[in-house]
Amino acid sequence: MTDTLDIKITKTTKSRLAETDFSKLAFGRTFSDHMLVADYSDGEWKNFEILPYGEITVSPGISALHYGQSFFEGIKAYKHADGKVSIFRPDKNAQRFNKSAERLCMPTIPEDIFLQSLAAIVDIDRDWVPAAPGHSLYIRPFMFATDQYLGVAPSQTYKYMVLLCPVGPYFTKPLRVKIETYYTRSAAGGMGFAKSSGNYGGSMYPAKKATEEGFDQLIWTDAKEHKYVEEMGAANAMFVLDGKLITPLTQDTILDGVTRDTVITLAHDAGFLVEERNVAVAEIIEGAKNGKLTDAFGAGTAATIAPVGSISLNSEEYTLIDPKEREFSQKVLKTLDAIRYGNGPDVHGWNYFV
Ligand code: PLP
Ligand code: COI
C-alpha cells in the first residue's frame, strides 16, 4: 500500500446528472460530470487531478496520434441494493494495464495508485452509477504518449486519464456471428494480449464488412491457418460443448479477459468441467450441427455474457438453441449479477468498495 494519492479536485458547478435520461443509455455516449487526468514526465507520475469532464488540449505532433502509442482498460462499477458502490475486480485490470504499458514501451502505474485513482473518480461521481438491472458505470482508464516528436521512438511523456459512462446493456439481442477466415485481429508476436488502441482500429474494417453482410460480430480465428477460434469481437469466446466449458487458451494473440477468468472460476465453483485449450472451428461447427454445442457466448466487461444466436462459416449459418434454454450461461449470469449487485455472497472478494 502506498501513501494516499494526492489528487487536486475541482468539482463542476453545472452537473448534467438531472438532465440525463438513465432509461435511455446507449453504450459509451453519456459521460459523467468529472474525469481524472495525470501526467508522466521525468520518470514519474504527477499532477493527479479530477476536474469537470470536457475537452483537453494536446499538440498535433503527439506520437499517440501518429504511431498509436496508446491503450485503454474497461471496468464496471455497480450499485448495490443497499446503495453501496463497488468496482468489479479492478486489480485484474491494473495488472493488465501494466502488461499493455510494457508491450507499448509506456510507463506502468503502481497497482495501488491505479486503484486509488479509480476509487477517487467513482466516489465523486457515485450518483452516476445506475441502479437498474443490467446497468452499471463503465470506467475507461487510458494512457497515451504526449511527446511532440515525429521520429518513431517511445515518448518520454504521457497522459493517464479516466472517464466514466453510465451504461445499459452493450448487446440487446442474441448475436448473429460470422467466423472470420480472411482478416485477422492479431498474430503471434503481435499485441493481441494488450488493450492497445491500434488493435481496435484494425478490427473495424473486417467488422464493418461483416455488418454489411448482416452479422453482429466476428469470431476471430488464428492468423496462420484460420482453423482455431481466438476471440469474439471485443470479448472472449466461450462454448459449452459435450457438457464442458471450452475456451481458447490465452496466449499472446488473445486478451486475457477478466470476465473470462470470472466465468471459468464460477464454472469450477459449480463443479463444471472446464477446458482451456485450442478450440477448432471444425469442432464448433460439428457441435452446432449435431446439437452438442449447447451454449456459446462472448464474455467481456462491456459485453457481459453475450449469447450467440447463430454462427456462420463460409455462408452456411447454424442456429443454436434458444439462449433462454441455455443452462450454463443463464446460471453463470445469475450468479455473476448476484455478486456484482450485492445480492449474493462474494466468496472470491471480487467487489472493491468505493
Ligand atoms: N477480448 C477483447 C479483444 C476485448 O476488447 C475485451 C474487452 O475488454 C475482452 C476480450 C474481454 O475482456 P474483459 O472481460 O477483461 O473485459
Ligand atoms: C470492454 O469490454 O471493456 C471493452 O474494452 C470493449 C470495448 C472496446 C467497447
Side-chain angles (χ1 to χ4, degrees):
M1 186 84 183
T2 56
D3 293 337
T4 306
L5 184 60
D6 191 15
I7 306 178
K8 180 180 167 204
I9 295 172
T10 311
K11 285 201 184 173
T12 183
T13 51
K14 287 190 200 120
S15 172
R16 285 174 281 103
L17 189 60
E19 70 209 39
T20 302
D21 185 351
F22 274 62
S23 70
K24 290 196 192 87
L25 292 171
F27 183 91
R29 296 217 183 262
T30 304
F31 292 86
S32 73
D33 278 334
H34 298 91
M35 61 186 187
L36 180 139
V37 189
D39 296 314
Y40 182 89
S41 63
D42 304 318
E44 59 174 340
W45 285 105
K46 55 187 85 163
N47 308 333
F48 282 83
E49 190 175 354
I50 290 175
L51 67 167
Y53 173 84
E55 293 179 4
I56 56 167
T57 305
V58 290
S59 149
I62 63 171
S63 48
L65 291 175
H66 298 269
Y67 308 120
Q69 235 197 332
S70 162
F71 70 92
F72 65 95
E73 267 303 327
I75 310 169
K76 278 178 174 171
Y78 296 85
K79 184 158 281 174
H80 293 207
D82 60 5
K84 283 191 189 138
V85 168
S86 71
I87 308 177
F88 191 69
R89 305 192 75 183
D91 51 321
K92 295 284 284 178
N93 299 87
Q95 288 153 16
R96 193 171 64 193
F97 187 91
N98 285 336
K99 278 194 194 148
S100 298
E102 275 167 18
R103 179 62 180 81
L104 286 152
C105 299
M106 295 166 75
T108 56
I109 296 187
E111 184 173 325
D112 190 52
I113 291 188
F114 181 85
L115 296 180
Q116 286 191 54
S117 72
L118 301 191
I121 178 87
V122 172
D123 185 29
I124 285 201
D125 278 344
R126 60 169 58 239
D127 292 343
W128 285 85
V129 187
H135 288 59
S136 56
L137 186 74
Y138 186 74
I139 307 170
R140 170 53 61 86
F142 61 109
M143 195 202 294
F144 58 96
T146 51
D147 275 9
Q148 299 187 59
Y149 174 53
L150 295 188
V152 181
S155 184
Q156 299 296 311
T157 62
Y158 295 88
K159 253 190 206 309
Y160 163 63
M161 297 187 64
V162 184
L163 308 179
L164 305 175
C165 289
V167 297
Y170 192 74
F171 297 118
T172 49
K173 60 176 179 53
L175 305 172
R176 210 179 150 209
V177 304
K178 171 192 167 178
I179 296 183
E180 178 58 63
T181 54
Y182 178 70
Y183 295 105
T184 57
R185 193 187 82 91
S186 72
M191 300 195 291
F193 68 91
K195 268 183 96 73
S196 159
S197 306
N199 287 346
Y200 297 81
S203 74
M204 288 180 194
Y205 182 73
K208 178 171 162 262
K209 289 194 78 145
T211 309
E212 284 163 4
E213 292 166 32
F215 297 102
D216 302 307
Q217 280 292 310
L218 290 178
I219 287 190
W220 298 106
T221 52
D222 69 284
K224 212 168 168 188
E225 299 179 286
H226 297 291
K227 271 191 180 166
Y228 297 97
V229 170
E230 297 235 305
E231 301 204 54
M232 208 190 90
N236 289 110
M238 307 193 94
F239 306 92
V240 175
L241 185 67
D242 263 336
K244 286 177 278 192
L245 176 68
I246 63 166
T247 190
L249 197 62
T250 53
Q251 3 119 2
D252 61 358
T253 57
I254 295 178
L255 195 82
D256 189 358
V258 179
T259 319
R260 174 187 180 280
D261 181 77
T262 301
V263 171
I264 289 173
T265 306
L266 294 178
H268 282 308
D269 289 354
F272 211 84
L273 288 176
V274 180
E275 288 180 1
E276 293 180 68
R277 59 168 172 82
N278 285 339
V279 176
V281 168
E283 64 181 313
I284 295 303
I285 296 300
E286 188 52 33
K289 282 185 189 165
N290 66 20
K292 290 189 174 170
L293 182 70
T294 52
D295 215 328
F297 56 93
T301 299
T304 315
I305 305 286
V308 172
S310 73
I311 302 185
S312 288
L313 175 68
N314 301 330
S315 306
E316 286 283 344
E317 183 161 6
Y318 305 92
T319 301
L320 309 183
I321 65 165
D322 185 342
K324 288 189 229 66
E325 318 265 295
R326 298 180 193 175
E327 225 174 284
F328 181 82
S329 52
Q330 290 283 326
K331 197 169 161 211
V332 160
L333 188 56
K334 218 169 143 204
T335 311
L336 188 54
D337 275 348
I339 299 170
R340 295 185 301 195
Y341 292 101
N343 301 319
D346 175 18
V347 295
H348 299 284
W350 284 335
N351 289 324
Y352 178 90
F353 286 96
V354 172

